[in-house]
Amino acid sequence: MNLDKLEEVLSSEPQYRIKQVKFDLFQRLISDWDQATTLPLSLREKLKKEFPLLLRAKTLISKDQKTVKALITFDDGLSVESVLMRHNGRNTVCVSSQVGCPLACLFCATGKMGFKRNLTSQEIIAQVLFFARYLKNFKPAGKVSNVVFMGMGEPLLNFEQVIGAIRILNDKNCFNLGARKISLSTSGIAPGIKKLADLELGINLAISLNAAEDKLRSKLMPINKKYPIKEVLKAVNFYIAKTNRKVMFEYLLISGVNDSLKQAEELSKIVRRNLYLVNLIRYNPTGKFKPSGRDQIEMFRELLEKKGVNVTQRFSFGQDIKAACGQLATQETPAGL
Ligand code: SAH
Ligand code: SF4
């Protein structure tokens, strides 16, 4: 699915066609051009050939039915995983921005598979479109209410295509999703955070922090050698000054690695600031480490609260289908390799 191609096919048509077609695609969510009955038959036939609507995907549904994971395969045979989470009246789609990830964080299954390539805006949008169609056919029918860039890959290393996708999500004639409903998580690519600040998109920003001092963070997240904590925080402060928006710091809790009370105290020193919010996440097993125990998490959290830090806790979904944070990975080999 390539929107530039769509504009090209429609270039000889009257101006209003593009709006009409976008409405059919993103709001009526047609999956076959025959459903676009306001278009002339000859145009439908042309679109069928030049702009096929089929999305190739396999789905897995969690036992509690609240999480759905889709393996979406693109034209070159490479695939990504995307996740739909249905809870608290929201339908949140977690999208991937790259096939694999070059940053190799020790705790992350995506990091382990290495980097294959960046996704295009259209490939990112295809993931949302897949779940939008899925929810439309649900009983009762639903809509995508939130999109988070927290799937496979580092979104700020695929900046232009990710921004392009955000603009399509935002576009009134396309998904018409407010910026406040879109979140992006980064491992801390400082120049990307500054570039994002300059665009003033109004989306939510999250930083994967996971350690409060450089030595441990560099071990867990090798990108920290390039952009150490101080650099990341400088970029975040620039972002806050520019946008006046809250920034979320994600902190995975891994047993015996980053969950001691001393480490909570170190963390409190760097995150006790206005508009900083800490989100504690229990590590989801990916083979390497053990998750922290419930009591340890509770003590860690209490210490942060006592020190005056704004803390929330994220509850993970979809562990039984390996759809939780950090568990996304694909093994598929592209055709012909
Ligand atoms: N590359 C970006 C976005 C994708 S990762 C980033 O790293 O921020 C999205 C989130 O999943 C990050 O907050 C990361 O810290 C978290 N994550 C990675 N592995 C995890 C695991 N095993 N358990 C729980 N969360 C994990
Ligand atoms: Fe990449 Fe994010 Fe996973 Fe690190 S946590 S390997 S940056 S996807």
Side-chain angles (χ1 to χ4, degrees):
M1 173 162 303
N2 180 340
L3 287 184
D4 296 334
K5 181 79 183 276
L6 183 65
E7 306 219 346
E8 197 186 298
V9 176
L10 295 175
S11 60
S12 54
E13 292 287 322
Q15 271 282 303
Y16 62 85
R17 280 279 187 250
I18 186 81
K19 228 173 165 177
Q20 214 174 20
V21 167
K22 281 182 175 172
F23 183 78
D24 280 336
L25 264 181
F26 298 110
Q27 309 213 349
R28 286 187 58 225
L29 297 167
I30 59 164
S31 48
D32 183 334
W33 285 114
D34 284 334
Q35 297 164 329
T37 45
T38 51
L39 304 181
L41 197 64
S42 59
L43 180 59
R44 273 188 255 160
E45 291 304 321
K46 192 167 162 197
L47 284 165
K48 267 190 211 172
K49 259 196 238 119
E50 309 251 344
F51 194 84
L53 293 182
L54 183 76
L55 295 171
R56 279 193 289 162
K58 274 190 250 167
T59 51
L60 268 179
I61 304 176
S62 68
K63 269 192 234 114
D64 66 3
Q65 313 262 312
K66 291 192 171 161
T67 309
V68 184
K69 182 164 86 165
L71 177 77
I72 299 183
T73 305
F74 301 116
D75 290 345
D76 63 353
L78 287 177
S79 311
V80 294
E81 293 189 328
S82 321
V83 182
L84 168 70
M85 290 158 283
R86 298 169 42 235
H87 61 99
N88 295 341
R90 288 190 196 169
N91 293 309
T92 302
V93 176
C94 177
V95 293
S96 294
S97 55
Q98 301 182 313
V99 184
C101 181
L103 300 184
C105 301
L106 283 193
F107 46 75
C108 174
T110 307
K112 242 181 263 163
M113 63 177 278
F115 174 68
K116 305 270 166 47
R117 70 169 170 88
N118 279 328
L119 295 189
T120 63
S121 304
Q122 282 83 25
E123 288 168 334
I124 297 170
I125 288 300
Q127 301 168 54
V128 184
L129 200 53
F130 175 77
F131 283 118
R133 290 181 189 170
Y134 180 93
L135 286 165
K136 186 187 153 209
N137 294 323
F138 223 75
K139 301 263 174 315
K143 275 184 156 185
V144 173
S145 61
N146 300 71
V147 172
V148 297
F149 286 79
M150 296 188 185
M152 296 163 63
E154 169 47 57
L156 295 185
L157 290 182
N158 185 14
F159 196 87
E160 300 306 328
Q161 299 301 319
V162 164
I163 298 302
I166 292 174
R167 294 202 193 282
I168 297 173
L169 292 173
N170 234 194
D171 185 341
K172 280 201 187 58
N173 294 318
C174 297
F175 279 105
N176 194 20
L177 204 64
R180 303 282 191 270
K181 309 280 183 187
I182 302 171
S183 304
L184 182 150
S185 175
T186 175
S187 56
I189 309 295
I193 296 171
K194 288 189 188 147
K195 254 172 47 185
L196 194 63
D198 284 330
L199 292 179
E200 298 192 52
L201 295 173
I203 61 167
N204 306 306
L205 176 65
I207 311 288
S208 295
L209 188 60
N210 303 326
E213 46 92 21
D214 282 322
K215 199 164 155 229
L216 177 61
R217 192 166 190 268
S218 294
K219 219 190 267 167
L220 295 174
M221 305 179 71
I223 188 66
N224 191 67
K225 290 179 208 141
K226 191 159 181 196
Y227 305 116
I229 296 173
K230 221 168 131 194
E231 285 281 313
V232 177
L233 296 184
K234 235 166 64 191
V236 167
N237 292 340
F238 176 80
Y239 184 90
I240 290 178
K242 191 100 194 193
T243 62
N244 202 31
R245 309 258 313 142
K246 262 189 215 150
V247 172
M248 167 112 76
F249 290 87
E250 297 158 303
Y251 194 98
L252 289 185
L253 287 156
I254 309 175
S255 180
V257 174
N258 66 353
D259 65 346
S260 74
L261 295 185
K262 187 165 172 292
Q263 285 161 324
E265 178 138 14
E266 290 303 312
L267 177 64
S268 75
K269 286 183 197 153
I270 62 169
V271 295
R272 189 177 41 217
R273 285 186 69 126
N274 217 5
L275 298 178
Y276 276 31
L277 183 70
V278 172
N279 190 210
L280 298 178
I281 309 165
R282 189 163 186 250
Y283 162 72
N284 293 313
T286 55
K288 182 111 189 148
F289 302 110
K290 280 228 252 351
S292 304
R294 304 266 168 216
D295 292 349
Q296 193 63 26
I297 296 178
E298 206 43 51
M299 287 192 295
F300 197 93
R301 180 191 171 127
E302 273 168 17
L303 196 140
L304 290 176
E305 280 172 347
K306 216 171 69 201
K307 296 276 177 193
V309 175
N310 298 316
V311 200
T312 57
Q313 200 168 335
R314 182 191 294 170
F315 295 95
S316 287
F317 300 89
Q319 278 199 26
D320 60 329
I321 53 168
K322 288 214 179 323
C325 301
Q327 293 187 316
L328 303 185
T330 49
Q331 275 111 36
E332 258 68 5
T333 316
L337 287 186

